[in-house]
Amino acid sequence: MEQRGREPRRARGFLVSYVVAVLLWSVASAQLRYSISEEVNEGTVVGNIAKDLGLDKSTLKDRKCRIVSGNTDPLFHVNQNDGVLYVSMKIDREEVCAQSSTCLINIKTVLENPLEIHYIAVEVLDINDHSPNFQEKETRLEISESVLPGARFQLKAARDPDSGQFSVQQYKLSNNDHFRLEVKDKGDDGKIPILVVQKSLDREAAATHSLILTALDGGKPPKSGAMKILVNVLDINDNAPVFTNDVYSVMLNENAPIGTTIIQVNATDLDDGANGDVVYTFSKSMNQILLRVFHINPITGEVTVKGLIDYEEKDKYEIEIQASDKALAPLTTEKSVIIKIVDINDNAPEIEVTSFSSSIPEDSRPGTTVALISVNDLDSGLNGKVICSINEDVPFDLSPSLQDKMFALVTKSPLDREKQSHYDLTITAKDAGQPTLSSDKTISVVVSDVNDNSPEFSLSPYTFYVTEGNEPGAAVFSVKALDRDENDNARISYHIFRDLSQDHKMSSFLNINSETGDITALKSFDFESVKMFQFQVVATDSGAPSLSSNVTVNVFILDQNDNAPVILYPVSSNGSAEGLEEIPRNVNAGHLVTKVRAYDADIGYNGWLLFSLQRVTDHSLFGLDRYTGQIRTLRSFTETDEAEHKLVILVKDNGNVSLSATATVLVKVVEPKEAFAASDVKSAAKDDEENNVTFYLMITLGSVSVLFLISIIVLIAMQCSKSTDYTSKYLQETNYDGTLCHSIQYRSGDKRYMLVGPRMSIGSTIVPGSHANTLVLPDRRHTSGEVGRLSLSLF
């Protein structure tokens, strides 16, 4: 019985559990959803969950119906008596859901006995309860006044916690002439305002611009937030200082103490910072005398007395004051300040220079006005009657004017600055009182230069001697010219007159320093190529118009020992200076073995060759003529003498540092029969060669003779047609043993000289007795100044 009772109870328990599970699943799966507006008052009804869930209101309290929330302060609560869901506190959607487009609050409702859990979603609807807000109430922008229209400046966007249409929808900019607003839509990041310059800025017209940027949301009516934009226009130095007064004029008592304030000028600059800071100076063009009389404070613009103020010397001063800003490229304004001197009655005559030209050109005509002078005496009658005079011995005079007590200082004779460039004119004014009082006035007149003098060379012509082999690019000589004018009129520049003719082609290898007159050679001179040339240097001053003069420069190239002797004979087939000579054993002393022939391209002592035996097998057998290069036997050969002898001949010139060359002669001593046989072979060969050469020699000699006659005729014609002196001529003739001799003729005073030296040795170097002597020849010049005929010297 008990077991049967237990089984129905167990069955009922299973049934109840099943029903509860099904109910719980059905409830959990069905979710309630309510919607309320944000910011509703506390206690606002959200909905009746008992009714909506089909719960028995009478059991809610017993089943402990409640809202389960993880928050300390739950947003909702349920009334256990009627099952109504209420708002526990004001809900701020932006605080709960931030910027989410949909704000859902999920809550759980729990009932016990049996346990039930119901999920409820409460959607909080947004209301336009927030205005757009900028992070800063005021922002500052610094924009240079030099920016061009179209420049863009991005501003910080406003934020609105509301979402959707209640977020920031548009921006507005307060009315102004210089800026406009553009809005860039960046999607989820909202709208970004951009400030665009639409009109050029001028800091001096408006240093700052105050703008109001307003952000509007999409509410009806829309809410807004505003930000103040202060645009500071950065300055550029586009305004010069401006004096506050158009005219500055002040009265100053004469003999005012040093340090007395005369006037204070003031200038303002609309620019900012250093561009607007003003400093004061006297104009750079102001007379130095005024700088000794007045001083100006560079900061305050206060002009004070620095020197003596004398009414009798000058009754009015006009000083130029310059106001400059402190910009990197300062702008400047000048203003004249007229200082009138108030006379203290000392009863002496007063001399006033009302108009004065301190500088007068030296080409001014007589009668040119230099200054207008006014004399005055505070006294009256005879005591006020003034007589004016000027110091004597000056080319100036005082000319009375039509107006009483007015005189004109004029020139009375031509001026010449080169004789006297400065005049101190003393004007004396005497009254007719008793005792006589007088005043003196000194006027300094500077005679300004006029370009009326051409440059003058210190020499004309210039003659220079340059040693050949000079270093290219080094200065070789210099010319100098002076100009009696001054400043630019006396500043001289030099240049070489470039004549492209053949006679002056060497000028293309010269360069002149335009300032110093130093002349450099661009290449080394070679005496053997050019012995003399001339060119012209032009000196030009810097006046307007410029004047110039030229000078002829004669350059003589001096020979240097730069050519070594060249052996002409003996020369072997391979080009070396070696030769073989065969002589019979039975020759006597004095027999000519051979002759060493050489030449040197230099002239004079540098080309005078001497021969010497450097090495010989037997010094007793052979001798060498030191001048001709002839090798002769000194004695007869003996049976004991060797059959071959080697002679090394040294040929050197007579330069300061002599140059030399060597030749080797091998002398083979043969029996007479062998010598004659060899001689016959050589003679036969020479006869054939000479027959071929004779014809060409005849043609050559005939041509040379004709050319010689033509040259003589041309020289005579040139001598008759020219009146200028020949500087030097060079002639060459062949002496009796084949040496080409060189002669140089030149003139000094009333004498003519001929320098003679070897040029090229064919048979011998120097004929004994012709030791490069200098010959004195009688002067054959005509009365017209012609140079005597060139002499042809034969040696």
Side-chain angles (χ1 to χ4, degrees):
M1 181 77 182
E2 185 178 354
Q3 186 176 2
R4 286 195 301 266
R6 231 186 260 121
E7 289 177 355
R9 283 197 301 271
R10 183 181 303 168
R12 285 194 298 270
F14 282 122
L15 180 61
V16 170
S17 298
Y18 174 76
V19 171
V20 169
V22 170
L23 290 173
L24 288 174
W25 178 84
S26 62
V27 172
S29 62
Q31 185 177 19
L32 293 179
R33 180 164 181 161
Y34 299 103
S35 63
I36 62 171
S37 297
E38 65 171 329
E39 301 293 344
V40 295
N41 294 327
E42 181 181 348
T44 299
V45 175
V46 179
N48 193 327
I49 60 175
K51 180 180 177 181
D52 294 336
L53 291 175
L55 300 176
D56 187 0
K57 296 180 180 180
S58 60
T59 62
L60 293 178
K61 190 171 186 179
D62 295 335
R63 297 182 63 182
K64 298 180 181 179
C65 179
R66 64 188 183 274
I67 300 297
V68 179
S69 174
N71 295 332
T72 305
D73 297 324
L75 299 176
F76 304 97
H77 68 275
V78 63
N79 190 327
Q80 295 181 349
N81 295 322
D82 53 10
V84 176
L85 184 65
Y86 294 95
V87 175
S88 299
M89 57 175 29
K90 283 188 176 182
I91 300 174
D92 188 349
R93 179 185 182 279
E94 289 71 33
E95 181 179 348
V96 175
C97 299
Q99 294 293 323
S100 299
S101 59
T102 302
C103 182
L104 287 177
I105 300 175
N106 294 311
I107 58 176
K108 292 186 292 183
T109 303
V110 179
L111 292 92
E112 298 179 358
N113 299 322
L115 180 63
E116 293 183 21
I117 299 175
H118 300 277
Y119 293 91
I120 302 172
V122 179
E123 180 182 1
V124 181
L125 301 177
D126 188 29
I127 64 173
N128 193 18
D129 58 340
H130 290 88
S131 298
N133 182 49
F134 289 94
Q135 290 183 357
E136 299 175 350
K137 296 299 181 184
E138 180 177 300
T139 186
R140 293 178 179 270
L141 296 178
E142 292 186 345
I143 303 176
S144 174
E145 63 177 323
S146 62
V147 298
L148 299 176
R152 300 161 62 87
F153 301 90
Q154 184 171 312
L155 305 174
K156 291 184 178 180
R159 299 299 178 202
D160 192 327
D162 296 326
S163 62
Q165 65 176 356
F166 298 129
S167 63
V168 176
Q169 299 297 314
Q170 61 176 326
Y171 291 94
K172 291 184 178 180
L173 186 67
S174 58
N175 292 330
N176 68 96
D177 295 332
H178 294 85
F179 299 93
R180 61 183 175 86
L181 189 67
E182 289 185 1
V183 179
K184 184 176 182 181
D185 194 345
K186 299 188 69 174
D188 294 339
D189 292 336
K191 294 178 172 58
I192 306 300
I194 298 175
L195 190 66
V196 181
V197 178
Q198 68 176 0
K199 182 180 178 182
S200 298
L201 303 176
D202 186 357
R203 195 205 66 81
E204 290 69 40
T208 61
H209 295 270
S210 180
L211 308 174
I212 302 297
L213 178 63
T214 304
L216 301 172
D217 60 21
K220 294 183 179 180
K223 292 190 175 183
S224 63
M227 177 179 67
K228 185 176 182 181
I229 302 174
L230 289 178
V231 178
N232 291 327
V233 182
L234 300 181
D235 184 47
I236 61 172
N237 192 27
D238 57 347
N239 289 278
V242 177
F243 284 92
T244 54
N245 292 354
D246 293 334
V247 178
Y248 286 95
S249 181
V250 66
M251 306 293 289
L252 177 66
N253 290 331
E254 67 171 324
N255 300 324
I258 294 176
T260 300
T261 299
I262 302 172
I263 193 173
Q264 183 174 6
V265 297
N266 183 41
T268 57
D269 194 317
L270 296 178
D271 293 321
D272 192 21
N275 296 336
D277 293 339
V278 179
V279 292
Y280 304 91
T281 58
F282 286 130
S283 173
K284 295 180 180 179
S285 62
M286 199 169 77
N287 195 315
Q288 294 296 317
I289 297 176
L290 298 180
L291 297 180
R292 295 194 292 266
V293 177
F294 302 103
H295 174 267
I296 187 168
N297 188 306
I299 299 175
T300 63
E302 188 178 62
V303 181
T304 56
V305 176
K306 183 180 179 182
L308 178 64
I309 306 297
D310 189 356
Y311 176 86
E312 286 73 30
E313 182 178 338
K314 197 170 185 179
D315 65 342
K316 183 176 69 173
Y317 294 91
E318 183 173 352
I319 58 176
E320 295 288 338
I321 296 179
Q322 180 175 285
S324 305
D325 54 36
K326 295 182 179 180
L328 295 177
L331 299 178
T332 301
T333 302
E334 291 188 356
K335 181 65 67 174
S336 295
V337 177
I338 299 175
I339 302 175
K340 296 180 180 179
I341 308 303
V342 178
D343 181 46
I344 295 176
N345 188 16
D346 52 6
N347 298 320
E350 300 171 358
I351 302 175
E352 179 185 359
V353 180
T354 59
S355 178
F356 175 47
S357 298
S358 60
S359 178
I360 181 171
E362 62 176 319
D363 60 350
S364 298
R365 295 181 178 180
T368 301
T369 300
V370 179
L372 294 178
I373 299 171
S374 173
V375 294
N376 187 29
D377 196 309
L378 297 179
D379 296 326
S380 60
L382 291 177
N383 294 331
K385 187 175 180 61
V386 180
I387 300 174
C388 254
S389 62
I390 190 172
N391 54 322
E392 299 179 355
D393 300 328
V394 292
F396 298 93
D397 196 8
L398 283 176
S399 175
S401 175
L402 295 177
Q403 189 175 356
D404 189 26
K405 298 183 180 181
M406 289 291 294
F407 298 88
L409 179 63
V410 297
T411 58
K412 68 179 181 180
S413 60
L415 304 175
D416 188 351
R417 190 205 64 83
E418 285 69 39
K419 292 182 179 179
Q420 187 168 350
S421 62
H422 180 269
Y423 293 92
D424 289 325
L425 307 178
T426 301
I427 300 171
T428 302
K430 294 182 179 181
D431 59 26
Q434 292 295 331
T436 299
L437 298 178
S438 64
S439 296
D440 293 332
K441 178 69 173 179
T442 300
I443 297 177
S444 295
V445 178
V446 176
V447 181
S448 61
D449 187 44
V450 174
N451 193 23
D452 55 351
N453 291 279
S454 300
E456 297 177 359
F457 285 93
S458 56
L459 292 174
S460 181
Y462 280 93
T463 301
F464 296 104
Y465 297 89
V466 181
T467 304
E468 68 170 329
N470 57 292
E471 181 181 354
V476 288
F477 41 80
S478 177
V479 297
K480 185 68 176 179
L482 298 176
D483 195 314
R484 292 192 299 160
D485 295 320
E486 65 176 2
N487 299 330
D488 287 344
N489 295 334
R491 187 176 295 112
I492 298 175
S493 61
Y494 303 89
H495 72 273
I496 295 175
F497 177 71
R498 304 293 182 183
D499 187 354
L500 301 180
S501 65
Q502 189 69 17
D503 295 338
H504 298 87
K505 66 178 181 179
M506 290 299 295
S507 63
S508 61
F509 298 104
L510 300 175
N511 191 20
I512 188 169
N513 187 310
S514 61
E515 296 180 357
T516 64
D518 293 335
I519 299 176
T520 57
L522 303 180
K523 73 167 190 175
S524 295
F525 297 122
D526 185 7
F527 175 83
E528 287 70 36
S529 299
V530 177
K531 298 173 179 57
M532 179 268 177
F533 64 90
Q534 66 177 204
F535 61 96
Q536 287 191 328
V537 175
V538 180
T540 306
D541 59 30
S542 300
S546 61
L547 300 177
S548 62
S549 60
N550 56 2
V551 67
T552 299
V553 180
N554 297 315
V555 181
F556 293 90
I557 310 301
L558 301 180
D559 185 39
Q560 265 193 329
N561 191 21
D562 57 347
N563 292 280
V566 177
I567 305 298
L568 296 177
Y569 182 83
V571 178
S572 63
S573 59
N574 60 4
S576 60
E578 295 180 358
L580 176 64
E581 298 291 338
E582 294 181 350
I583 60 174
R585 184 179 290 276
N586 61 352
V587 297
N588 297 323
H591 177 74
L592 176 63
V593 178
T594 187
K595 177 187 285 187
V596 177
R597 294 176 173 85
Y599 81 94
D600 193 312
D602 295 318
I603 69 163
Y605 285 98
N606 294 331
W608 184 4
L609 302 182
L610 297 178
F611 301 81
S612 62
L613 281 172
Q614 188 177 29
R615 190 171 62 191
V616 63
T617 307
D618 190 345
H619 287 281
S620 66
L621 273 176
F622 302 100
L624 175 67
D625 190 309
R626 65 175 306 193
Y627 299 111
T628 66
Q630 293 179 348
I631 302 174
R632 296 181 181 272
T633 57
L634 298 177
R635 62 177 175 81
S636 300
F637 289 94
T638 64
E639 295 296 333
T640 59
D641 291 330
E642 295 181 359
E644 284 191 4
H645 298 271
K646 182 178 182 179
L647 286 73
V648 178
I649 293 88
L650 175 68
V651 184
K652 65 178 182 178
D653 57 31
N654 280 273
N656 290 332
V657 179
S658 63
L659 303 176
S660 62
T662 59
T664 302
V665 178
L666 297 176
V667 180
K668 187 176 181 181
V669 182
V670 298
E671 294 303 324
K673 292 181 179 180
E674 297 177 4
F676 292 144
S679 177
D680 291 341
V681 174
K682 291 182 180 178
S683 298
K686 287 184 178 179
D687 289 340
D688 293 338
E689 183 179 352
E690 288 176 357
N691 290 333
N692 295 329
V693 173
T694 302
F695 176 72
Y696 298 108
L697 287 176
M698 292 175 64
I699 295 176
T700 302
L701 289 174
S703 301
V704 170
S705 300
V706 172
L707 291 175
F708 178 75
L709 291 174
I710 294 173
S711 299
I712 293 298
I713 295 172
V714 171
L715 287 174
I716 294 174
M718 291 176 62
Q719 181 180 354
C720 294
S721 62
K722 292 185 177 179
S723 60
T724 57
D725 291 344
Y726 293 102
T727 56
S728 64
K729 299 290 180 183
Y730 304 95
L731 300 176
Q732 298 178 351
E733 278 295 332
T734 306
N735 61 10
Y736 72 94
D737 65 345
T739 300
L740 293 181
C741 291
H742 201 77
S743 66
I744 305 174
Q745 295 189 37
Y746 60 94
R747 180 174 57 81
S748 175
D750 295 333
K751 293 183 178 181
R752 291 195 305 127
Y753 295 88
M754 176 180 290
L755 178 62
V756 180
R759 177 61 175 175
M760 179 184 295
S761 297
I762 297 176
S764 63
T765 306
I766 296 293
V767 177
S770 60
H771 297 264
N773 296 318
T774 301
L775 305 180
V776 180
L777 303 180
D779 186 16
R780 298 179 183 177
R781 293 176 296 165
H782 298 285
T783 56
S784 61
E786 262 187 38
V787 176
R789 294 183 180 85
L790 295 173
S791 297
L792 182 64
S793 301
L794 298 176
F795 300 89

